[in-house]
Amino acid sequence: MTSILRSPQALQLTLALIKPDAVAHPLILEAIHQQILSNKFLIVRMRELLWRKEDCRRFYQEHEGRFFYQRLVEFMASGPIRAYILAHKDAIQHWRTLMGPTRVFRARFMAPDSIRGSFGLTDTRNTTHGSDSVASASREIAAFFPDFSEQHWYKEEEPQLRCGPVRYSPEEGIHCAAETGGQEQPGKGQ
């Protein structure tokens, strides 16, 4: 499914989560949102939600049995999270680089300007999550945005966003194709 209707130059999608430790602090949440915009990601969808423990267990199932699993499930269900579908030419790697290393102590020394280097507290409370492959991005996007169709997006929305012009709608919190016809057109990926 992940290769359906994609041209070689197509934008790539990734899931980005802002964890409860960051959502609980509006200034940190806004700073991360601004980093997403300033790094030229297109925000395809965005939503805030409270995650049930059952959902957390299912999402992190691959880590079941590891020492941090229960702590991670409890933490992710402890408060609101923000989920994004981000698009970029190399969205998965670009978002992972912007997040920085998973371990906060490494992030502080190896990538101090990264999101985790700047805002991470512990390895569990490390501010963000991002998909690590195209297959996991598809699976994770479906978990958080069950009404989102990748196939439809690649057919209908992706060409418009890739070819521009694009505008960011602060009211909706997403990027969309800018209308033409004499209206001012903000820069692509603002």
Side-chain angles (χ1 to χ4, degrees), residues 36-49:
I36 289 169
L37 295 174
S38 66
N39 277 272
K40 305 297 183 200
F41 284 100
L42 297 176
I43 300 172
V44 175
R45 302 287 187 278
M46 178 181 75
R47 67 184 288 223
E48 291 191 18
L49 65 147

Side-chain angles (χ1 to χ4, degrees), residues 18-190:
I18 311 303
K19 295 181 178 182
D21 56 320
V23 175
H25 296 89
L27 294 177
I28 293 174
L29 181 61
E30 182 58 24
I32 295 169
H33 185 79
Q34 289 304 315
Q35 283 190 354
I36 289 169
L37 295 174
S38 66
N39 277 272
K40 305 297 183 200
F41 284 100
L42 297 176
I43 300 172
V44 175
R45 302 287 187 278
M46 178 181 75
R47 67 184 288 223
E48 291 191 18
L49 65 147
L50 278 170
W51 220 11
R52 300 174 315 177
K53 285 184 186 177
E54 304 83 55
D55 298 325
C56 297
R57 286 187 191 101
R58 198 168 26 258
F59 187 78
Y60 289 112
Q61 181 177 343
E62 67 190 71
H63 300 301
E64 190 172 7
R66 299 184 72 184
F67 73 93
F68 60 84
Y69 174 74
Q70 191 58 37
R71 180 177 61 216
L72 180 60
V73 167
E74 295 288 331
F75 168 63
M76 291 300 289
S78 70
I81 59 174
R82 181 179 285 178
Y84 291 94
I85 301 174
L86 301 178
H88 192 275
K89 189 180 88 162
D90 188 18
I92 294 168
Q93 189 55 52
H94 192 48
W95 176 244
R96 292 185 72 76
T97 300
L98 185 59
M99 287 190 304
T102 302
R103 296 186 179 272
V104 171
F105 75 92
R106 282 192 187 142
R108 288 197 180 130
F109 291 105
M110 295 171 58
D113 294 332
S114 69
I115 293 170
R116 291 172 173 158
S118 298
F119 304 115
L121 302 173
T122 68
D123 292 350
T124 301
R125 297 172 186 267
N126 63 1
T127 313
T128 54
H129 167 86
S131 305
D132 63 5
S133 68
V134 171
S136 66
S138 292
R139 184 182 72 252
E140 292 175 357
I141 287 168
F144 281 89
F145 297 89
D147 296 336
F148 180 78
S149 166
E150 254 188 88
Q151 182 177 1
H152 180 267
W153 187 80
Y154 274 106
K155 183 178 177 186
E156 300 294 328
E157 294 180 51
E158 189 276 343
Q160 294 176 358
L161 293 175
R162 178 172 31 92
C163 297
V166 174
R167 71 175 181 83
Y168 175 70
S169 169
E171 301 81 31
E172 297 178 58
I174 62 170
H175 286 89
C176 50
E179 282 100 38
T180 56
Q183 294 181 3
E184 185 177 326
Q185 299 169 0
K188 199 172 188 175
Q190 277 196 21

